[in-house]
Amino acid sequence: TTTAACAQDPVGVDWRLVSVDGVAVDYRATLRIEADGTLAGKAPCNNWSSLNGATLPELKLQGIRATRMACDRLADEAAFFAALEAMSRAEVTEGGQLVLTGPEGQSLEFGSDAAE
């Protein structure tokens, strides 16, 4: 693939979850990828972090650590973490979305909050 001028580096951007496997989500979850390989964000209930054991655009999350706050979206949060752990690649589309994909076709799609 060729790198389009509008495609951006996913590092250092606050990404907001839009859909899981093409299905829009009705909860807020975020992701930020740092240059040192740390990934972090907020799930529906808790703050979370992980380390990427691979080099972008490859992903290999090494366990997700999260705070332990309870809320009524814990099932959504567990599904988000399970999906996140299954992801193996991160790419920014020409439209400026961050798409994480897994080996069996799973996907997490994020939009950026850059308009703030």
mmCIF file of all heavy atoms in Angstrom, residues 14 16 90 107 114 116:
data_model
loop_
_atom_site.group_PDB
_atom_site.id
_atom_site.type_symbol
_atom_site.label_atom_id
_atom_site.label_comp_id
_atom_site.label_asym_id
_atom_site.label_seq_id
_atom_site.Cartn_x
_atom_site.Cartn_y
_atom_site.Cartn_z
ATOM 1 N N ASP A 14 -5.408 11.071 20.370
ATOM 2 C CA ASP A 14 -6.469 10.515 21.205
ATOM 3 C C ASP A 14 -7.551 9.960 20.279
ATOM 4 O O ASP A 14 -8.206 10.715 19.566
ATOM 5 C CB ASP A 14 -7.057 11.591 22.131
ATOM 6 C CG ASP A 14 -6.060 11.989 23.196
ATOM 7 O OD1 ASP A 14 -5.416 11.100 23.782
ATOM 8 O OD2 ASP A 14 -5.908 13.204 23.449
ATOM 9 N N ARG A 16 -11.040 7.686 19.604
ATOM 10 C CA ARG A 16 -12.311 7.355 20.238
ATOM 11 C C ARG A 16 -12.945 6.188 19.485
ATOM 12 O O ARG A 16 -13.090 6.240 18.261
ATOM 13 C CB ARG A 16 -13.208 8.593 20.182
ATOM 14 C CG ARG A 16 -14.554 8.480 20.806
ATOM 15 C CD ARG A 16 -15.346 9.800 20.631
ATOM 16 N NE ARG A 16 -14.960 10.594 19.466
ATOM 17 C CZ ARG A 16 -15.373 10.386 18.215
ATOM 18 N NH1 ARG A 16 -16.180 9.389 17.934
ATOM 19 N NH2 ARG A 16 -14.978 11.185 17.229
ATOM 20 N N ALA A 90 -2.434 -2.168 13.351
ATOM 21 C CA ALA A 90 -3.032 -0.840 13.506
ATOM 22 C C ALA A 90 -2.675 0.004 12.298
ATOM 23 O O ALA A 90 -1.495 0.181 11.999
ATOM 24 C CB ALA A 90 -2.509 -0.166 14.782
ATOM 25 N N SER A 107 -12.317 -6.359 13.878
ATOM 26 C CA SER A 107 -11.821 -4.988 13.745
ATOM 27 C C SER A 107 -12.367 -4.088 14.836
ATOM 28 O O SER A 107 -13.457 -4.303 15.357
ATOM 29 C CB SER A 107 -12.198 -4.407 12.372
ATOM 30 O OG SER A 107 -13.598 -4.231 12.283
ATOM 31 N N ALA A 114 -9.391 15.060 17.113
ATOM 32 C CA ALA A 114 -8.520 16.156 16.700
ATOM 33 C C ALA A 114 -9.276 17.459 16.478
ATOM 34 O O ALA A 114 -8.683 18.517 16.438
ATOM 35 C CB ALA A 114 -7.760 15.771 15.430
ATOM 36 N N GLU A 116 -11.062 19.009 18.456
ATOM 37 C CA GLU A 116 -11.234 19.783 19.694
ATOM 38 C C GLU A 116 -10.426 21.051 19.687
ATOM 39 O O GLU A 116 -9.335 21.076 19.216
ATOM 40 C CB GLU A 116 -10.826 18.937 20.913
ATOM 41 C CG GLU A 116 -11.795 17.822 21.170
ATOM 42 C CD GLU A 116 -11.361 16.938 22.324
ATOM 43 O OE1 GLU A 116 -10.474 17.343 23.105
ATOM 44 O OE2 GLU A 116 -11.894 15.832 22.432
#
